[in-house]
């Protein structure tokens, strides 16, 4: 920042993140450069129509389709949808209804504008809105399936986000979410999954994901001047900071796709027993919290 420029007042964290994402999506819509760099990094695995700003490739789309196990007419949620390509592709492929939400109003508007391309005259079976992973604005037990691609790691509170997504799932519904952690590190998400009323159904390794990010970050750095010229200074610098910060970690990254299933409701008698106070505890006691340290 120029030292002669007045320092702006501090902005709340959510508002600051929203502004960054709005600026990125607005800038990306002006140029094909970002999509071109993703395509170079992914090669034949790049799903051009989806054009996601994430690690979504053809193998991941196949896994999402298989793990969701949705029937035509059921309800899918795209959590952290960005410009909507992943959810809209799945809604068309699986003939399901769709609701997507994103922190960025610009992204939600772009997703809304893309509905007709994917769904034609059935465009109104997809809706997009502004929402957060910890506060989706969606009703209880509404979704038969939820996808969350490269968004949970950016949540302010991952445990709260999982609880919220679990709340939105109908019993027996599935949440399919990408996760990553340092290679060799012990996953720290098991307690969070259980606290959300979910159980792990599948864990699929994504062995090429780290190398893809390594190639992409190298491309961003190599095209730094072009990114600044075509996107503008602020969006480009945000991307370059991410590239320089994450590039050294890319090779040591273990990426997976988690399929989580909401547990069916317990019979009434079991629920009543579960509300009884456990020995040595008092009504209102809460278990200790556990924060995840790996991503």
């Amino acid at each position: 920042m120029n030292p002669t420029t007045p320092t702006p007042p501090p902005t709340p964290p959510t508002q600051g993140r929203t502004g960054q994402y709005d600026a990125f999506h607005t800038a990306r819509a002006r140029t094909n450069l970002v999509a071109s760099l993703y395509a170079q990094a992914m090669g034949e695995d790049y799903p051009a129509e989806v054009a996601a700003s994430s690690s979504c490739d053809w193998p991941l789309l196949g896994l999402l389709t298989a793990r969701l196990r949705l029937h035509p007419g059921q309800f899918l949620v795209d959590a952290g949808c960005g410009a909507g390509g992943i959810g809209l592709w799945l809604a068309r492929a699986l003939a399901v209804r769709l609701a997507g939400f994103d922190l960025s109003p610009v992204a939600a508007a772009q997703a809304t504008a893309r509905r007709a391309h994917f769904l034609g005259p059935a465009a109104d079976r997809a809706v997009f809105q502004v929402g957060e992973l910890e506060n989706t604005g969606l009703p209880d037990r509404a979704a038969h399936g939820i996808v969350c691609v490269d968004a949970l790691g950016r949540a302010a509170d991952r445990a709260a986000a999982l609880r919220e997504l679990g709340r939105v799932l109908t019993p027996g519904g599935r949440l399919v979410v990408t996760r990553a952690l340092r290679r060799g590190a012990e996953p720290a998400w098991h307690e969070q999954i259980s606290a959300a009323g979910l159980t792990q159904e599948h864990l699929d390794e994504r062995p090429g994901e780290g190398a893809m990010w390594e190639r992409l970050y190298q491309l961003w750095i190599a095209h730094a001047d072009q990114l600044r010229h075509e996107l503008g200074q602020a969006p480009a610098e945000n991307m370059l900071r991410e590239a320089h910060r994450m590039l050294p970690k890319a090779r040591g990254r273990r990426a997976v796709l988690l399929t989580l299933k909401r547990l069916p409701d317990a019979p009434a008698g079991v629920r009543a027993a579960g509300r009884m106070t456990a020995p040595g505890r008092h009504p209102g006691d809460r278990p200790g919290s556990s924060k995840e340290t790996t991503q």
Side-chain angles (χ1 to χ4, degrees), residues 191-202:
E191 290 185 15
Q192 296 173 358
I193 291 170
S194 178
L198 305 171
T199 185
Q200 182 176 311
E201 189 174 51
H202 297 284

Side-chain angles (χ1 to χ4, degrees), residues 191-271:
E191 290 185 15
Q192 296 173 358
I193 291 170
S194 178
L198 305 171
T199 185
Q200 182 176 311
E201 189 174 51
H202 297 284
L203 187 149
D204 295 291
E205 299 285 342
R206 302 180 63 206
E209 193 254 20
M212 185 284 294
W213 283 115
E214 184 177 16
R215 292 191 297 271
L216 183 62
Y217 289 143
Q218 289 171 341
L219 285 166
W220 288 0
I221 293 168
H223 292 80
D225 289 341
Q226 193 176 359
L227 284 169
R228 294 186 183 101
H229 175 72
E230 297 196 23
L231 297 182
Q233 190 74 15
E237 291 303 331
N238 284 331
M239 291 173 66
L240 293 168
R241 277 194 295 270
E242 177 182 337
H244 285 290
R245 184 179 74 253
M246 298 302 297
L247 181 57
K249 306 175 185 179
R251 287 196 178 184
R253 177 182 174 97
R254 178 194 175 201
V256 301
L257 183 72
L258 280 171
T259 302
L260 310 176
K261 190 172 183 179
R262 176 162 176 178
L263 299 172
D265 289 336
V270 176
R271 288 199 300 270

Side-chain angles (χ1 to χ4, degrees), residues 36-188:
S36 173
L37 297 180
Y38 271 92
Q40 290 180 55
M42 291 188 183
E44 291 184 347
D45 285 339
Y46 180 65
E49 185 183 27
V50 171
S53 302
S54 68
S55 64
C56 181
D57 53 15
W58 282 120
L60 181 61
L61 285 173
L63 270 176
L64 294 173
T65 302
R67 294 307 187 204
L68 284 167
R69 298 182 179 274
L70 292 176
H71 300 294
Q74 289 189 319
F75 184 41
L76 172 68
V77 169
D78 186 355
C81 64
I86 296 171
L88 286 166
W89 189 94
L90 289 167
R92 182 181 63 192
L94 300 173
V96 295
R97 295 173 292 123
L98 173 69
F101 67 87
D102 196 89
L103 194 63
S104 165
V106 170
Q110 291 176 351
T112 300
R114 299 176 74 190
R115 295 181 302 171
H117 170 79
F118 284 89
L119 302 176
D124 60 355
R125 77 169 193 248
V127 295
F128 294 93
Q129 64 188 45
V130 177
E132 300 180 61
L133 290 171
E134 301 92 339
N135 183 20
T136 66
L138 296 170
D140 291 350
R141 302 169 175 238
H144 300 95
I146 301 176
V147 293
C148 184
V149 177
D150 294 359
L152 188 60
R154 298 179 185 270
D157 186 334
R158 296 171 198 159
L162 274 177
R163 290 194 301 271
E164 171 70 357
L165 296 177
R167 177 191 67 78
V168 173
L169 272 179
T170 188
R174 292 175 173 88
L175 164 63
V176 188
V177 56
T178 57
R179 295 305 310 267
L181 65 160
R182 295 186 302 275
R183 194 169 299 279
E186 185 67 22

